[in-house]
Amino acid sequence: MKDAHDGPILEIDELSISFFTRLREIPAVMDFSVRVMPGEAVGLVGESGCGKSTVALGVMQDLGKNGRIVGGSIKFKGQDLNTMSQDELREIRGSQIAMIYQEPMASLNPAMKIGKQLMEVPMIHADVSQKEAYDRALQVVTDVKLPDPKRILDSYPHQLSGGQQQRIVIAMALMAEPSLLILDEPTTALDVTVEAAVVELVKELGQKYGTSMLFISHNLGLVLETCDRICVMYSGEAVETGDIEDVFDQMRHPYTQALFRSIPLPGADKNARPLVAIPGNFPLPHERPPGCNFGPRCDYFEEGRCDAVERVPMETVPGDERHRSRCLRFKEIDWDAPPLNVSTKEKSEPGRVVLKMDELKKYYEVAANALFGGSGAKKVVKANETLSFEARESETLAIVGESGCGKSTFAKVLMGLETATDGAIVLDNREIQDIPIEARDTKTVADVQMVFQNPFDTLNPSMSVGRQIMRALEIFGEGKDDAERREKMLRLLDLVKLPREFADRMPRQLSGGQKQRVGIARAFAGGARIVVADEPVSALDVSVQAAVTDLLMEIQREQKTTLLFISHDLSIVRYLSDRVMVMYLGHVVELGTTEQVFAPPYHPYTEALLSAVPIADTHVEKKHIVLEGDIPSAMNPPSGCPFQTRCSWKQKVPGNLCETEVPPVRIMADGHQIKCHLADAEFDNMEPVIKIAAE
Amino acid sequence: MGMFILRRVGVMLLTALCLTFLVFYLTNLYPNLEKLAKTQGNFRMSDEAVASWLEKGGYLQPTPVKYAEWLGVVPSYRFEAEDGTVTGRCILPGMEASEAPRYCGILQGYWGWSTVFRDPVSEIISTRLALTGKLMLWVMLLMVPGALIIGVLAGMREGSPLDRSLSTFSITTTATPEYVSGVLFIAVFASSAVGLKWFKGTATSAMENATFENFFLPVLTIALYGMGYIARMTRASMAEVMTAQYIRTARLKGVSFPNIVLKHALRNALIAPFTVIMLQFPWLLNGVVIVETLFNYKGFGWTLVQAAGNNDIELLLGVSVVSVIVVLVTQLISDIGYVYLNPRISVT
């Protein structure tokens, strides 16, 4: 069935795709060319809205009612997909080209058993019997390393975890051994350690089956780990293509450079080497500037030249046939020059202790049956287990961990949305753990505020931005009348660097980054002293993340705020935090200063986390640790050490200590504690996970 | 699953008790009883005569006692007249007091005596319910598949000409009340006004022997009204499912369009309309009133009108017991069916 084909598997040539609305034609992809050779993995990188998913759907010829290919060709093994009939396309889809999607839960049919969904593929394309299809499904499920394949085939998607679901989606794509695999942000919805395992699997299977891959992602580090070639997209155009090393080390487009400068790589530091945010906003598809799309945000923009042409052509970089850039000036720019206008800042010293946790515990009781329970066994979910730490004035304490580790529960208890089961939260010598938010006085509420993860859901869509901030001011008892509060609100907008006109805008008119700024302004409305930032930038685009992070840091410097930064992204944590607390299943497994946590000795979980985070730097060498399995459910935690089911160091501990006893908290150095059974000698022999190779 | 059903049945019985007590209390208010006495005795009864009539029938006992008697959990009230004849609820006409049972209520299978039809309530209800059951069966057989087909066809390609025309059809049928469509159908298909005369304008003969000719018009009239409603629900749910990501997955797997609709979309799309379909049963039971009257089909709805119009307390109570049971049973079925359709819902 697999015909021998030695040319490129996929050849996209000057592809243009537009969406048609009643008002106008909106070009989504313009003049896009890429070539995927057999066995090659090509990464497609860009921010949301840059057209990378549209390219994927264009290849699949599934653009919906409004989308149309308006120019160029897409050749798959030499055949033009644009001219194929629906029947011909259906034969190729699933058997020759397969796709893996962003959200595994949404892309599996909830009312169909996994086995049936998998077996469908060979039954359509290879016309095999039910029995053969079942055997094939069983084999592929084994290939994607799922435990107990028979049981998995007989379950519904909701009975599996996110990581397992994604493995099933991968298995489904591999059922017919396709020649080309399109992966559309395959790991964005997954936890870091699970992501690492899935990426590992995809790479391995790609080699095993000899599949070519088109890997779409916004994560540069991930692309570095998986792909041979890369194509950077900006606003519907490919701006730079080339081999991974060339593009990463010798970028020849200002956007690529700006992108790299805005992500926290090892070595970046919030005081000495801060991130450089890309100024301005991503242009909307119907508001693109004349000439170079990146022009208005580019440091090297030259008026009368960059905006004078109709469209900047793609040009080959001299000396490298496969490296191309879409920039008029790339031959003139000094690419090795350090970034302009970077201001280094004084490191602020942490002040007195403002917040203290003492053996804080939060348990939830889950009754088997809420209505007729009573006799039913009650389950206790230990969301937070003996949390003890201090946070000082103008200090950033990062709380790191994957989903289900209890970091959000802790935030809820601190905010007063839940009350603690045991232990104490001391704020200014006052215990507040038992006071729910309704009962807290205005001062306490204003003092402890939160910046939420998703700026899109946390603003009232029917209230203007200014009104919402003024409402917060009113609740916090700031200002005597509306006029005074309006004045204060405008000053808050200045603080978060939003233009004052934004006060009268509605949230829907704002971009994600701007909305998050409003969220920050609202949190600081009452002069908050402790701000819990729950993944404040993870829903934002890379270029915006840097700006929002910077803003938080700047406000912190001015107002001496204590920032509790909850995140799963270790790169950003390393960049901005003073101290780091690593949590796993409700336990604090490691706590120390950023330097202590990011250098050996590690807790085995911290080590795995560090190794799982993809880093977009070719000079970095990482130790490779892939955790087996999923995070255990908090409803049914493992006995003894919470991490023992996935720990790679477990056999180094004598006896079955790990399975029977919760490890004690051990002080490794001043202010550095680890919860582990490992012997001192083992800790001393640990090697650093991330090594920066000498240039 | 067994535990779940058992528990639901328990809750159902409790609900049934509460609801029937409410109906019992309302129908046994004094003005109602007075009216009953006057229709049964004579209209010029004095207040004293009414009181003694009610006394004789046991109507003046406290409501909970009367309710318990009606249920059959306490011995029924008996009245011994001065001449020694004993009368009571349990003593049917032509029966000796000594032969009559002490308890007679719903639990003993005694539903009371209809004052309008002069027959035991249980007999009336069973014959009328059977007639309406026949009507409902045919309505369901026409309405549910019809509605689902229309809904699925309209929803699978949202905005297509097929969708537009089917949607217009379903909105029109739902917007036309039965007394309008029924009259229209009779005029068009059964009268000499148009002259088609395909069907019969009355369904009286269908009570004995239902044929396509005499039964189709009432069935169609009811079915059309409900069909539009269910079809709209199905269409909305189908249209939503068709935009879901797993449908795209199936499409990009190479599944053909008919198979996408039948194998991937249908089950998911039926989850929401299923509850609505189950809710149609109780609606049909009472909603048939107009059509049964219009086509002169003496079923359950017609009985309800007679009972309510003539202050027939026991018959009215019997009718409401049946309605309550039908509502609760369909809800139970709908919950169980929901679990079956949607694997994400679990009862344990």
Side-chain angles (χ1 to χ4, degrees):
Chain A
M1 181 151 177
K2 298 275 168 276
D3 50 354
H5 180 87
D6 44 353
I9 291 288
L10 181 73
E11 197 174 6
I12 302 179
D13 197 31
E14 295 182 358
L15 176 71
S16 296
I17 299 175
S18 290
F19 288 96
F20 292 87
T21 64
R22 272 174 211 211
L23 290 176
R24 55 172 92 81
E25 172 188 350
I26 297 172
V29 174
M30 294 159 295
D31 188 22
F32 178 86
S33 306
V34 79
R35 191 185 284 180
V36 185
M37 301 302 282
E40 194 178 48
V42 176
L44 214 54
V45 180
E47 295 171 84
S48 54
C50 72
K52 50 194 197 305
S53 292
T54 311
V55 170
L57 291 176
V59 173
M60 285 306 228
Q61 299 283 325
D62 189 66
L63 290 164
K65 265 178 289 187
N66 303 322
R68 209 179 321 141
I69 292 170
V70 290
S73 66
I74 306 173
K75 284 204 182 100
F76 174 72
K77 291 185 178 172
Q79 300 163 281
D80 195 341
L81 291 171
N82 290 353
T83 56
M84 280 193 184
S85 72
Q86 281 300 316
D87 281 341
E88 286 172 305
L89 282 172
R90 205 165 56 232
E91 232 151 74
I92 285 183
R93 289 174 186 163
S95 72
Q96 307 246 22
I97 309 178
M99 197 160 168
I100 294 170
Y101 315 87
Q102 182 163 5
E103 279 178 45
M105 183 66 204
S107 47
L108 290 173
N109 190 337
M112 209 188 217
K113 286 192 174 161
I114 301 278
K116 221 174 145 202
Q117 298 193 42
L118 289 177
M119 283 154 63
E120 208 176 33
V121 180
M123 283 166 77
I124 298 165
H125 295 293
D127 204 20
V128 298
S129 71
Q130 194 121 10
K131 177 81 185 65
E132 282 172 76
Y134 182 81
D135 292 342
R136 171 85 186 129
L138 207 59
Q139 190 215 327
V140 176
V141 172
T142 318
D143 273 1
V144 295
K145 295 178 187 161
L146 281 170
D148 201 355
K150 284 215 172 89
R151 186 185 58 84
I152 296 243
L153 285 186
D154 199 39
S155 40
Y156 285 103
H158 69 276
Q159 293 165 324
L160 308 182
S161 71
Q164 288 176 325
Q165 284 169 1
Q166 193 58 294
R167 279 165 198 263
I168 289 299
V169 175
I170 294 171
M172 194 151 73
L174 292 172
M175 280 299 279
E177 302 193 11
S179 324
L180 176 67
L181 198 56
I182 300 175
L183 302 102
D184 188 358
E185 306 258 8
T187 56
T188 311
L190 305 177
D191 271 318
V192 224
T193 55
V194 181
E195 172 184 80
V198 168
V199 166
E200 175 84 4
L201 175 76
V202 167
K203 271 202 292 190
E204 207 180 295
L205 293 173
Q207 268 155 22
K208 183 172 170 188
Y209 291 99
T211 316
S212 308
M213 283 192 266
L214 190 63
F215 193 102
I216 298 172
S217 180
H218 67 277
N219 189 332
L220 286 165
L222 208 57
V223 169
L224 173 67
E225 285 188 4
T226 45
C227 300
D228 309 310
R229 283 163 50 71
I230 183 175
C231 173
V232 183
M233 285 187 80
Y234 181 79
S235 192
E237 291 174 325
V239 292
E240 188 169 0
T241 61
D243 287 343
I244 282 277
E245 286 81 15
D246 294 344
V247 175
F248 272 61
D249 296 340
Q250 294 161 343
M251 56 212 57
R252 286 295 175 266
H253 194 280
Y255 174 64
T256 320
Q257 189 186 43
L259 208 55
F260 274 98
R261 285 184 176 164
S262 66
I263 55 174
L265 296 172
D269 180 274
K270 65 176 164 179
N271 298 311
R273 260 181 74 186
L275 301 182
V276 186
I278 305 178
N281 283 311
F282 198 81
L284 293 172
H286 56 275
E287 289 169 358
R288 292 198 177 104
C292 178
N293 281 338
F294 188 58
R297 303 174 73 187
C298 182
D299 286 343
Y300 309 102
F301 181 70
E302 193 178 315
E303 223 180 301
R305 184 167 162 207
C306 292
D307 56 1
V309 286
E310 170 76 13
R311 173 166 295 158
V312 183
M314 202 79 170
E315 266 184 79
T316 308
V317 174
D320 190 347
E321 204 38 51
R322 303 189 67 181
H323 192 175
R324 290 151 67 86
S325 168
R326 193 187 290 274
C327 179
L328 288 173
R329 302 192 56 205
F330 78 88
K331 287 173 194 158
E332 307 155 19
I333 296 170
D334 176 11
W335 291 101
D336 296 323
L340 292 167
N341 53 49
V342 175
S343 49
T344 52
K345 309 242 166 41
E346 281 291 302
K347 186 173 164 30
S348 51
E349 281 305 314
R352 65 193 176 89
V353 174
V354 281
L355 186 70
K356 193 167 177 265
M357 303 286 143
D358 193 22
E359 308 263 305
L360 184 73
K361 283 182 192 159
K362 177 66 191 171
Y363 294 173
Y364 289 100
E365 264 181 15
V366 186
N369 185 314
L371 188 58
F372 290 90
S375 63
K378 274 188 183 159
K379 276 193 165 169
V380 175
V381 176
K382 298 179 176 177
N384 282 151
E385 188 73 277
T386 53
L387 240 63
S388 300
F389 66 88
E390 289 173 350
R392 293 164 184 280
E393 197 171 54
S394 72
E395 179 185 51
T396 309
L397 175 69
I399 303 172
V400 179
E402 294 172 280
S403 51
C405 76
K407 50 194 200 294
S408 296
T409 305
F410 160 71
K412 276 185 197 159
V413 176
L414 176 60
M415 297 296 297
L417 297 171
E418 303 268 359
T419 50
T421 311
D422 197 14
I425 303 177
V426 184
L427 174 73
D428 298 333
N429 301 322
R430 226 151 42 87
E431 295 201 357
I432 56 164
Q433 72 279 5
D434 293 326
I435 314 172
I437 188 128
E438 310 88 80
R440 290 191 180 178
D441 56 70
T442 319
K443 177 82 175 67
T444 317
V445 174
D447 270 354
V448 187
Q449 275 298 306
M450 193 155 174
V451 177
F452 299 93
Q453 173 168 16
N454 195 337
F456 303 90
D457 297 342
T458 42
L459 294 182
N460 185 341
S462 56
M463 217 194 240
S464 76
V465 166
R467 199 62 250 163
Q468 301 197 34
I469 300 177
M470 278 160 72
R471 180 82 191 118
L473 287 167
E474 206 179 315
I475 291 167
F476 296 148
E478 299 275 330
K480 284 195 292 290
D481 49 19
D482 255 18
E484 197 170 313
R485 278 194 285 270
R486 190 170 172 81
E487 189 49 44
K488 266 196 184 325
M489 177 268 292
L490 290 175
R491 261 185 279 133
L492 277 168
L493 285 183
D494 294 343
L495 180 76
V496 296
K497 297 189 178 142
L498 281 177
R500 287 190 167 200
E501 316 69 283
F502 273 45
D504 300 320
R505 297 221 182 150
M506 296 310 255
R508 63 170 184 277
Q509 295 168 297
L510 270 55
S511 71
Q514 289 164 345
K515 277 186 205 168
Q516 194 59 296
R517 283 165 194 267
V518 176
I520 294 172
R522 195 169 57 176
F524 280 94
R529 293 191 301 137
I530 296 164
V531 169
V532 182
D534 188 359
E535 309 251 8
V537 295
S538 65
L540 305 176
D541 266 319
V542 193
S543 68
V544 185
Q545 281 187 8
V548 173
T549 321
D550 257 10
L551 174 73
L552 270 176
M553 295 288 97
E554 207 177 306
I555 298 178
Q556 183 189 27
R557 250 179 233 116
E558 277 171 26
Q559 315 224 342
K560 295 200 183 301
T561 320
T562 307
L563 196 61
L564 295 180
F565 191 86
I566 299 177
S567 180
H568 69 276
D569 183 352
L570 283 171
S571 318
I572 200 135
V573 164
R574 178 186 200 138
Y575 169 69
L576 59 76
S577 58
D578 302 312
R579 285 198 303 144
V580 181
M581 181 164 99
V582 184
M583 287 183 76
Y584 189 79
L585 279 183
H587 291 261
V588 177
V589 293
E590 186 165 356
L591 172 68
T593 64
T594 309
E595 294 77 36
Q596 284 166 340
V597 171
F598 279 79
Y602 307 109
H603 184 277
Y605 177 62
T606 316
E607 188 189 25
L609 261 187
L610 281 172
S611 137
V613 179
I615 295 170
D617 191 334
T618 51
H619 304 299
V620 167
E621 268 176 53
K622 273 195 317 186
K623 202 161 122 191
H624 204 71
I625 304 161
V626 170
L627 290 184
E628 295 295 325
D630 286 317
I631 304 166
S633 153
M635 294 274 278
N636 192 12
S639 60
C641 172
F643 190 56
Q644 53 111 336
T645 51
R646 302 169 79 198
C647 185
S648 55
W649 290 82
K650 194 175 151 191
Q651 65 271 24
K652 301 264 171 75
V653 176
N656 56 356
L657 205 56
C658 291
E659 281 145 55
T660 48
E661 266 178 59
V662 178
V665 174
R666 288 166 48 181
I667 309 295
M668 307 304 292
D670 184 31
H672 187 202
Q673 60 178 65
I674 289 181
K675 215 180 211 177
C676 188
H677 283 304
L678 274 179
D680 282 334
E682 299 289 352
F683 277 126
D684 291 342
N685 287 337
M686 273 189 181
E687 285 170 13
V689 174
I690 299 169
K691 271 187 245 168
I692 300 176
E695 294 202 19
Chain B
M1 193 69 179
M3 259 323 276
F4 167 74
I5 293 176
L6 215 66
R7 239 177 4 233
R8 283 302 304 261
V9 170
V11 176
M12 265 169 62
L13 286 177
L14 205 70
T15 320
L17 276 180
C18 295
L19 285 175
T20 48
F21 181 76
L22 201 69
V23 178
F24 191 89
Y25 172 74
L26 290 173
T27 46
N28 277 282
L29 288 174
Y30 192 76
N32 271 346
L33 294 176
E34 191 182 345
K35 205 167 132 204
L36 178 79
K38 285 183 174 171
T39 44
Q40 293 301 304
N42 85 63
F43 281 102
R44 289 182 200 162
M45 264 168 145
S46 64
D47 287 354
E48 293 79 49
V50 167
S52 85
W53 191 90
L54 291 177
E55 170 74 36
K56 199 174 144 200
Y59 290 107
L60 294 181
Q61 301 172 86
T63 311
V65 175
K66 282 192 287 180
Y67 181 67
E69 282 176 17
W70 176 78
L71 274 182
V73 289
V74 296
S76 189
Y77 177 81
R78 289 185 177 207
F79 180 78
E80 205 176 322
E82 283 156 19
D83 59 352
T85 50
V86 181
T87 52
R89 231 172 79 90
C90 301
I91 306 159
L92 298 178
M95 194 189 263
E96 282 299 318
S98 50
E99 290 169 21
R102 292 294 299 148
Y103 294 85
C104 54
I106 299 287
L107 293 178
Q108 284 76 29
Y110 178 78
W111 291 55
W113 181 261
S114 161
T115 53
V116 181
F117 295 99
R118 307 206 174 273
D119 258 328
V121 168
S122 48
E123 230 164 82
I124 301 170
I125 288 189
S126 61
T127 47
R128 299 303 163 190
L129 198 60
L131 285 174
T132 296
K134 189 162 77 176
L135 182 62
M136 273 169 70
L137 175 75
W138 287 106
V139 168
M140 282 291 172
L141 284 182
L142 180 68
M143 178 172 80
V144 175
L148 292 184
I149 290 169
I150 292 177
V152 168
L153 286 179
M156 67 185 192
R157 288 185 210 266
E158 205 184 353
S160 64
L162 185 69
D163 174 26
R164 293 276 151 79
S165 32
L166 288 177
S167 292
T168 311
F169 171 74
S170 27
I171 292 171
T172 315
T173 58
T174 312
T176 316
E178 288 138 315
Y179 48 84
V180 174
S181 53
V183 169
L184 266 177
F185 285 142
I186 293 176
V188 173
F189 296 113
S191 75
S192 48
V194 178
L196 284 175
K197 290 203 174 178
W198 291 348
F199 304 106
K200 285 198 172 151
T202 161
T204 316
S205 55
M207 292 192 290
E208 302 287 307
N209 173 30
T211 61
F212 185 64
E213 194 190 14
N214 61 24
F215 211 38
F216 185 67
L217 279 191
V219 169
L220 183 71
T221 311
I222 305 175
L224 271 187
Y225 183 67
M227 196 190 284
Y229 185 58
I230 302 178
R232 290 298 290 168
M233 290 287 297
T234 317
R235 179 196 167 273
S237 154
M238 186 72 189
E240 196 192 317
V241 167
M242 286 307 280
T243 59
Q245 279 196 33
Y246 55 85
I247 295 298
R248 191 183 67 185
T249 310
R251 206 164 53 227
L252 299 187
K253 243 185 333 191
V255 183
S256 65
F257 189 76
N259 272 337
I260 287 181
V261 173
L262 291 176
K263 286 192 183 157
H264 288 268
L266 197 58
R267 184 170 165 190
N268 288 299
L270 284 185
I271 293 171
F274 183 73
T275 325
V276 180
I277 294 171
M278 291 316 288
L279 277 174
Q280 296 289 308
F281 277 99
W283 167 76
L284 273 179
L285 201 62
N286 302 303
V288 288
V289 171
I290 290 166
V291 171
E292 283 186 355
T293 312
L294 193 64
F295 288 91
N296 201 18
Y297 185 82
K298 290 173 179 149
F300 195 72
W302 178 82
T303 312
L304 175 67
V305 174
Q306 296 298 319
N310 293 299
N311 199 34
D312 191 341
I313 294 177
E314 305 239 292
L315 186 56
L316 212 49
L317 276 168
V319 167
S320 50
V321 168
V322 171
S323 304
V324 164
I325 291 173
V326 168
V327 171
L328 293 176
V329 168
T330 48
Q331 283 311 294
L332 180 68
I333 297 175
S334 127
D335 284 354
I336 294 170
Y338 202 76
V339 171
Y340 168 73
L341 275 175
N342 191 346
R344 280 167 291 186
I345 304 283
S346 153
V347 291
T348 43

